[in-house]
């Protein structure tokens, strides 16, 4: 099956200029030619009417299965979580996100259901359970913690569903990492320091010893992939960098020293400006005053870290939204694109949400589930994951954010929306 998009300008995901007035040929699920193509060879012709073909959006920090607060998720059956996750994943695709990296949550079943046509959604790079130390950021046993811990190392519902895992010491960490890889993780997510949204752990706590983190990195690297870490403070980032962690989620309370380390080691950074601002402005309900105080601190620090990212010219930055909550909270996902544009500029926002994510995902090597083509770029040999926008995204991301100007959504060569 050959689809041909004609009368198109192309934003390839990298260059700050459009490739003007070309055709894009799609054979099966891959882009095979960009340029002049004879319409007679196509089974289906799509007239872009001068619109822009751009890569489908990527989001490197989602939690598809986290469709409510942890206290409520703790009471849900796996069925209910799964059904809600299917709705959230479909909405993501219909916003224009064609690939997402899930950094905490049991998404393997959903991914399989999407790929076999039982559900609709983006490509998923799963991390499976986010791994925390006892009393760490994702040790959500604090509901009745004392009763649960009294009888030994007891699970919480969120651990039973494979959302979170708890491991202490080198051998438990090795096993927890290998279990996630066994369950199809593309990369490993650990909690390497205190968190803002959790009630249990102060923000400044260091989580996992250097040796525990090194164990996680060793097990991941032996499987051809890498560790990404939830991390806020500079001391935590220094330890994680030393352990060989390759991607910092949030990376909020940065200083010059750590920015230099990030630059020198080529560590990826996945910040979330919009969600942090929402939380800092107290627009998302949090459990208590202490978590509000923590998130305000994180929200303010995030803008400072953006200045350091600019100052040290760090180009290993990827787009991530970190929406956790009901489908209405997940619906704010697209707002991050505008927030990144405001923090940096239009081309940086566009690259972060397309080709930069593609580069980050390539670090999963043979744990990468999508090896047939490139992701996050419109080039020959890339997956046919694309949007057709009525407008020029290089002049501002608003035309991508609006449903009316987002005319076509295609993933894997299949059209999910066409209002041309
Ligand atoms: Zn997160």
């Amino acid at each position: 099956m050959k689809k041909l998009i004609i009368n198109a300008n192309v934003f390839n995901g990298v260059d700050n200029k459009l490739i003007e007035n070309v055709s894009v040929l799609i054979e099966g699920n891959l882009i095979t030619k960009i340029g002049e193509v004879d319409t007679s060879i196509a089974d289906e012709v799509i007239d872009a009417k001068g619109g822009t073909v751009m890569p489908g959006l990527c989001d490197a920090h989602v939690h598809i299965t986290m469709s409510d607060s942890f206290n409520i998720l703790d009471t849900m059956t796996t069925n209910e979580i799964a059904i809600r996750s299917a709705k959230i994943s479909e909405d993501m695709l219909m916003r224009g996100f064609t690939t997402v990296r899930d950094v905490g949550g049991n998404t393997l079943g959903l991914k399989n259901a999407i790929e076999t046509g039982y559900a609709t959604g983006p490509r998923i790079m799963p991390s499976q359970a986010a791994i925390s130390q006892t009393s760490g950021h994702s040790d959500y046993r604090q509901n009745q913690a004392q009763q649960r811990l009294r009888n030994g190392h007891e699970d919480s519902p969120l651990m039973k569903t494979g959302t979170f895992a708890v491991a202490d010491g080198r051998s438990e960490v090795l096993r927890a990492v290998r279990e996630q890889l066994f369950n199809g993780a593309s990369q490993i997510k650990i909690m390497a320091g205190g968190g803002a949204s959790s009630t249990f752990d102060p923000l400044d706590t260091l989580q996992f010893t250097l040796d525990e983190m090194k164990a996680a990195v060793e097990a991941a690297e032996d499987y051809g992939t890498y560790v990404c870490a939830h991390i806020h403070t500079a001391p935590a980032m220094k330890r994680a960098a030393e352990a060989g962690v390759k991607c910092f989620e949030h990376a909020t309370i940065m200083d010059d020293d750590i920015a230099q380390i990030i630059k020198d080691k080529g560590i990826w950074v996945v910040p979330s400006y919009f969600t942090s601002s929402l939380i800092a402005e107290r627009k998302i309900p949090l459990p208590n005053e202490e978590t509000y105080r923590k998130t305000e601190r994180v929200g303010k620090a995030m803008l400072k870290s953006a200045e350091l990212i600019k100052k040290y010219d760090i180009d290993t930055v990827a787009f991530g939204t970190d929406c956790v909550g009901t489908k209405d909270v997940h619906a704010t996902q697209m707002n991050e694109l505008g927030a990144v544009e405001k923090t940096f500029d239009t081309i940086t926002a566009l690259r972060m949400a397309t080709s930069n994510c593609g580069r980050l995902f390539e670090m999963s090597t043979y744990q990468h589930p999508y090896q047939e083509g490139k992701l996050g770029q419109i080039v020959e040999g890339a997956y046919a994951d694309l949007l057709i926008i009525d407008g020029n995204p290089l002049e501002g991301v608003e035309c991508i954010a609006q449903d009316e100007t987002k005319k076509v959504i295609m993933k894997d060569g299949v059209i999910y929306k066409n209002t041309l």
Side-chain angles (χ1 to χ4, degrees):
M1 175 73 180
K2 291 179 185 172
K3 293 190 177 81
L4 185 66
I5 304 171
I6 58 167
N7 297 322
N9 299 315
V10 170
F11 165 59
N12 65 8
V14 178
D15 297 328
N16 197 4
K17 62 176 191 325
L18 299 178
I19 306 163
E20 286 177 9
N21 199 18
V22 286
S23 298
V24 178
L25 179 65
I26 293 138
E27 294 183 69
N29 63 345
L30 298 175
I31 295 168
T32 53
K33 189 156 181 10
I34 300 164
E36 247 180 74
V37 183
D38 192 338
T39 52
S40 67
I41 69 157
D43 301 300
E44 186 183 345
V45 174
I46 302 157
D47 187 351
K49 299 174 185 161
T52 306
V53 172
M54 66 167 285
L57 297 168
C58 303
D59 188 336
H61 193 124
V62 302
H63 300 282
I64 298 180
T65 62
M66 294 180 186
S67 60
D68 219 312
S69 70
F70 295 125
N71 283 349
I72 295 174
L73 283 172
D74 228 358
T75 66
M76 280 184 201
T77 61
T78 39
N79 266 355
E80 190 174 1
I81 293 175
I83 291 164
R84 290 168 71 121
S85 304
K87 167 68 180 157
I88 284 169
S89 77
E90 180 172 359
D91 289 351
M92 272 186 192
L93 179 63
M94 297 317 290
R95 280 191 284 274
F97 288 87
T98 51
T99 307
V100 299
R101 188 181 64 146
D102 193 283
V103 285
N106 188 351
T107 52
L108 186 64
L110 176 65
K111 174 176 173 290
N112 290 343
I114 290 169
E115 284 166 12
T116 49
Y118 289 90
T120 304
R123 299 177 192 277
I124 299 175
M125 308 273 298
S127 305
Q128 296 300 98
I131 305 166
S132 159
Q133 65 170 45
T134 291
S135 81
H137 180 51
S138 64
D139 185 356
Y140 271 89
R141 292 176 295 176
Q142 72 266 51
N143 298 331
Q144 302 95 41
Q146 292 190 8
Q147 292 92 312
R148 279 178 174 154
L149 294 173
R150 195 177 299 142
N151 299 322
H153 198 282
E154 210 179 303
D155 284 356
S156 73
L158 283 165
M159 285 163 71
K160 286 205 174 83
T161 55
T163 308
F164 297 134
V166 172
D168 298 285
R170 167 166 274 273
S171 65
E172 280 187 20
V173 171
L174 287 173
R175 190 182 55 204
V177 169
R178 288 170 183 159
E179 280 173 356
Q180 307 322 310
L181 294 165
F182 199 24
N183 282 330
S186 294
Q187 61 287 314
I188 294 300
K189 169 76 178 296
I190 64 166
M191 301 303 195
S197 60
S198 47
T199 51
F200 202 82
D201 55 332
L203 205 55
D204 291 293
T205 52
L206 292 169
Q207 298 180 10
F208 284 130
T209 63
L210 180 62
D211 188 54
E212 285 171 321
M213 263 197 259
K214 277 186 175 164
V217 168
E218 283 164 26
E221 286 185 352
D222 284 350
Y223 242 63
T225 187
Y226 67 96
V227 172
C228 63
H230 157 97
I231 205 153
H232 283 294
T233 66
M237 285 190 258
K238 277 188 189 125
R239 184 184 284 185
E242 192 185 339
V245 170
K246 295 264 175 62
C247 183
F248 290 169
E249 311 300 312
H250 321 305
T252 39
I253 310 172
M254 229 186 251
D255 59 21
D256 280 89
D257 285 354
I258 192 65
Q260 186 68 57
I261 292 170
I262 288 169
K263 174 75 180 174
D264 292 346
K265 288 185 181 269
I267 293 169
W268 281 85
V269 176
V270 184
S272 306
Y273 299 103
F274 183 76
T275 306
S276 324
S277 71
L278 265 193
I279 295 171
E281 289 161 23
R282 304 193 170 208
K283 287 184 180 151
I284 292 179
L286 292 172
N288 56 35
E289 191 54 31
E290 172 56 16
T291 53
Y292 276 115
R293 270 199 294 274
K294 288 201 286 188
T295 49
E296 274 165 355
R297 185 173 156 213
V298 162
K300 281 182 195 145
M302 189 141 303
L303 294 175
K304 255 204 207 153
S305 80
E307 291 310 311
L308 288 166
I309 288 169
K310 286 181 220 170
K311 182 176 165 187
Y312 287 85
D313 193 25
I314 295 166
D315 78 332
T316 45
V317 189
F319 180 88
T321 52
D322 201 16
C323 295
V324 171
T326 61
K327 59 181 166 47
D328 298 333
V329 175
H330 283 269
T332 65
Q333 183 181 25
M334 187 59 85
N335 296 359
E336 178 67 13
L337 198 60
V340 176
E341 180 182 52
K342 213 172 119 198
T343 309
F344 297 100
D345 52 38
T346 305
I347 184 64
T348 306
L350 291 172
R351 283 180 188 141
M352 277 172 65
T354 58
S355 58
N356 281 17
C357 276
R359 279 162 58 209
L360 167 63
F361 300 160
E362 281 170 13
M363 289 205 304
S364 294
T365 72
Y366 34 85
Q367 287 299 102
H368 195 316
Y370 311 108
Q371 305 200 13
E372 222 180 313
K374 253 195 177 336
L375 289 172
Q377 291 190 41
I378 301 293
V379 288
E380 290 170 9
Y383 279 113
D385 292 3
L386 58 87
L387 311 177
I388 301 179
I389 306 292
D390 180 10
N392 179 1
L394 292 170
E395 289 170 1
V397 299
E398 187 60 20
C399 57
I400 306 169
Q402 296 302 327
D403 270 347
E404 308 80 65
T405 42
K406 193 161 39 204
K407 297 290 185 185
V408 170
I409 298 172
M410 181 189 288
K411 188 197 89 178
D412 212 33
V414 177
I415 294 170
Y416 288 85
K417 173 185 174 178
N418 185 355
T419 56
L420 272 168

